[in-house]
Amino acid sequence: MLRQNGWACLVRRGILFRPEGALLLTLSTTHVPATDLGYLLHKNPSRPQSFELAFGQAHVFYPEASPERCTAALLLEVDPVALVRGRRGSSGEGGALEQYVNDRPYVASSFMSVALSRLFSSALAGRSQERPELAERELPLVARVSVLPCRGGEAFLRRLLEPLGYRVTATPHALDETVPEWGPSRYFTVTIEGHKRVSELLTHLYVLIPVLDDDKHYWVTEDEVDKLLRHGEGWLAAHPEREHITRRYLRHQKSLAREALEQLLGEEHTSPEERERARDEAEAALEARLSLNEQRLRAVVAELQAGGVTRVVDLGCGEGRLLKALLQERRFTDILGMDVSWRSLDIARERLDLERMPELQRKRVKLIHGSLMYRDQRLAGYEAATVIEVVEHLDPPRLAAFERVLFEFARPERVVLTTPNAEFNVRFENLPTGRFRHADHRFEWTRAQFEAWARGLASRFGYTVRFGPVGPVDEEVGAPTQMAVFTR
Ligand code: SAH
């Protein structure tokens, strides 16, 4: 009966077609009565449940539920199309294709950890309303993960799990079953067994699955340090592989890993090697900042190239970062930078080294003083305009003037516009809640606000618009920068 309600029911409902090929985590116990597992996981053994997650669907059901043995299964269907949708326009066709053709939908990864934390949050935290005393107890547990990618192979898998007191069985998958001479892949079906609290075992999986996979589907920020320390409490500090675990969990971001290890072990315990790494820290932090800027410039230049643009005006060019990048590409033969700030224009002139530029080069670029608030004849005749991190500096009541200046009067064929994504602000460690990234920002838009504004504008002035993230895409809050590309 219960069996029927498990697999069979899902198969009937068309949720499950090939259980043997699905991405699956099972957790079994022989504690008597085994069906208490349902209370510990807060999921009723007789009722299969499905959950919508940002990256696909998760199903929880019990393939077996007798008093002697009970198995809960978490089945994850990662939707490759949803993954791509979340990143539309990120890197052109090649990028999208690469995202379709990858292993993510088929292997246990950070998606599994997200699903664990969403579906089993109480169990992870060791809470159970009906069986609080059982949540505290070590029970005979077996967990099985089908298709776990293990970078570092079986040896590393064992070095991670055996010190935690698990018996580990790992069955490697062939790279291609039809071509045995290719040898094993880095994918394993892994079973771990031990007497553990349910919360302990789930926590170990939560942390170690992405560590083994050595990849995460979202950008790792400061709060991952807290997450790691919280979930690592009671076991990570004493783990012989704690440094590996920490580094991989934090995706090899040295400064974060060092911070985590320091908090984990106390400063005096950090190795000389770790202290040496500290010297890189300032540079790494700087690089992180540079790289967002860099990524933004690259995204903009790529859009202009893709549009076959040769003549472009950069509105609110500031200190000329984009102008410099444009000059490096021969295709841009006519580049105009405009800004309202004389000081910025001076810095731009220096940055570009205009005075010492060879005559031919110099002819390609011009800097002018002007305001986006006023209709300006000098802006006419360019194929494209870029407005990079500028609109958020304009007073909202004056946005309408800017819209007309650009879309009605200058009217280039293509406009590439970027602005901060306000949703991402929670990921900046030093930014107090509710504050803008820059003192001069008049507003910062969420993705929905930006898209609503841009769509309205496009339809009023006869443009079409598409959007793309710039910078690493966080599953929940999106990318740090958002970009709109208008074409007419
Ligand atoms: N696009 C540059 C600078 C962004 S900072 C970059 O990405 O690095 C915003 C810039 O917009 C500043 O240089 C500021 O002087 C300029 N700006 C603000 N209001 C403006 C206006 N009304 N007209 C033209 N430029 C303006």
Side-chain angles (χ1 to χ4, degrees), residues 150 153-154 171-177 179-188:
C150 303
E154 186 176 337
T171 313
H173 292 266
L175 209 50
D176 185 334
E177 268 140 31
V179 196
E181 56 276 23
W182 285 359
S185 67
R186 65 187 181 100
Y187 303 112
F188 293 81

Side-chain angles (χ1 to χ4, degrees), residues 15-92:
I15 291 172
L16 227 172
F17 297 102
R18 286 176 52 234
E20 75 282 2
L23 169 50
L24 196 64
L25 165 69
T26 61
L27 178 61
S28 311
T29 186
T30 48
H31 161 83
V32 177
T35 42
D36 274 354
L37 188 61
Y39 293 118
L40 293 172
L41 297 177
H42 293 249
K43 298 282 175 288
N44 186 341
S46 59
R47 195 163 58 90
Q49 280 177 273
S50 297
F51 303 84
E52 288 294 333
L53 299 172
F55 47 80
Q57 277 206 319
H59 312 282
V60 179
F61 57 96
Y62 289 71
E64 56 181 342
S66 73
E68 296 75 40
R69 195 181 158 84
C70 182
T71 298
L74 166 62
L75 179 106
L76 213 55
E77 292 180 302
V78 175
D79 174 3
V81 179
L83 294 187
V84 178
R85 227 186 284 130
R87 301 164 188 229
R88 66 215 126 127
S90 59
S91 46

Side-chain angles (χ1 to χ4, degrees), residues 178-199:
T178 62
V179 196
E181 56 276 23
W182 285 359
S185 67
R186 65 187 181 100
Y187 303 112
F188 293 81
T189 292
V190 175
T191 307
I192 61 173
E193 281 174 76
H195 272 77
K196 294 282 168 199
R197 278 175 279 130
V198 166
S199 62

Side-chain angles (χ1 to χ4, degrees), residues 246-264:
T246 305
R247 257 182 242 132
R248 280 193 177 193
Y249 189 88
L250 297 169
R251 282 200 75 177
H252 306 281
Q253 292 194 50
K254 289 179 196 161
S255 60
L256 289 186
R258 185 173 162 279
E259 183 188 328
L261 283 165
E262 263 181 28
Q263 288 189 44
L264 195 63

Side-chain angles (χ1 to χ4, degrees), residues 71-349:
T71 298
L74 166 62
L75 179 106
L76 213 55
E77 292 180 302
V78 175
D79 174 3
V81 179
L83 294 187
V84 178
R85 227 186 284 130
R87 301 164 188 229
R88 66 215 126 127
S90 59
S91 46
E93 220 170 273
L97 199 61
E98 194 254 322
Q99 283 154 10
Y100 270 108
V101 189
N102 66 29
D103 67 358
R104 297 297 92 186
Y106 315 108
V107 305
S109 64
S110 49
F111 293 115
M112 181 65 92
S113 296
V114 171
L116 284 175
S117 70
R118 294 280 156 79
L119 274 54
F120 299 115
S121 58
S122 309
L124 258 174
R127 290 192 303 268
S128 166
Q129 245 165 28
E130 285 92 349
R131 298 284 185 279
E133 70 301 336
L134 207 56
E136 296 290 320
R137 268 179 50 195
E138 296 187 340
L139 309 174
L141 297 176
V142 182
R144 186 167 184 272
V145 187
S146 62
V147 207
L148 179 60
C150 303
R151 206 174 287 273
E154 186 176 337
F156 186 59
L157 172 75
R158 289 186 181 282
R159 291 213 307 277
L160 288 193
L161 288 161
E162 286 175 348
L164 295 169
Y166 293 103
R167 276 186 309 288
V168 178
T169 317
T171 313
H173 292 266
L175 209 50
D176 185 334
E177 268 140 31
T178 62
V179 196
E181 56 276 23
W182 285 359
S185 67
R186 65 187 181 100
Y187 303 112
F188 293 81
T189 292
V190 175
T191 307
I192 61 173
E193 281 174 76
H195 272 77
K196 294 282 168 199
R197 278 175 279 130
V198 166
S199 62
E200 242 179 327
L201 183 139
L202 290 178
T203 303
H204 291 152
L205 290 177
Y206 173 88
V207 173
L208 296 179
I209 286 175
V211 166
L212 281 161
D213 181 29
D214 205 12
D215 193 4
K216 275 196 177 169
H217 64 282
Y218 52 89
W219 180 242
V220 167
T221 50
E222 186 75 13
D223 49 355
E224 289 294 278
V225 173
D226 294 338
K227 232 194 267 175
L228 177 64
L229 293 174
R230 196 153 31 86
H231 291 292
E233 209 182 313
W235 63 275
L236 184 56
H239 197 292
E241 291 293 338
R242 66 195 170 211
E243 297 199 355
H244 252 119
I245 295 171
T246 305
R247 257 182 242 132
R248 280 193 177 193
Y249 189 88
L250 297 169
R251 282 200 75 177
H252 306 281
Q253 292 194 50
K254 289 179 196 161
S255 60
L256 289 186
R258 185 173 162 279
E259 183 188 328
L261 283 165
E262 263 181 28
Q263 288 189 44
L264 195 63
L265 307 172
E267 195 158 359
E268 69 277 17
H269 291 285
T270 45
S271 63
E273 188 201 355
E274 282 302 325
R275 281 198 294 279
E276 195 170 320
R277 281 171 200 280
R279 284 192 229 132
D280 298 345
E281 191 182 9
E283 192 187 347
L286 187 68
E287 273 172 10
R289 271 204 300 280
L290 275 179
S291 95
L292 177 58
N293 222 325
E294 188 69 21
Q295 287 178 57
R296 193 156 47 220
L297 294 183
R298 279 193 199 162
V300 173
V301 172
E303 279 298 339
L304 296 175
Q305 283 169 329
V309 169
T310 59
R311 285 170 293 129
V312 55
V313 52
D314 185 24
L315 300 171
C317 64
E319 300 173 2
R321 288 191 194 89
L322 177 62
L323 300 177
K324 189 159 184 179
L326 293 172
L327 268 171
Q328 273 155 19
E329 303 292 327
R330 294 249 290 282
R331 72 150 52 241
F332 301 111
T333 52
D334 196 348
I335 306 164
L336 178 68
M338 185 185 96
D339 204 286
V340 77
S341 154
W342 286 107
R343 196 181 132 64
S344 295
L345 289 170
D346 280 343
I347 298 174
R349 205 165 286 121

Side-chain angles (χ1 to χ4, degrees), residues 1-17 19 45 48 61-64 73:
M1 163 66 187
L2 284 172
R3 261 173 201 278
Q4 269 222 328
N5 278 339
W7 291 102
C9 173
L10 283 162
V11 172
R12 246 198 343 268
R13 285 163 57 195
I15 291 172
L16 227 172
F17 297 102
F61 57 96
Y62 289 71
E64 56 181 342

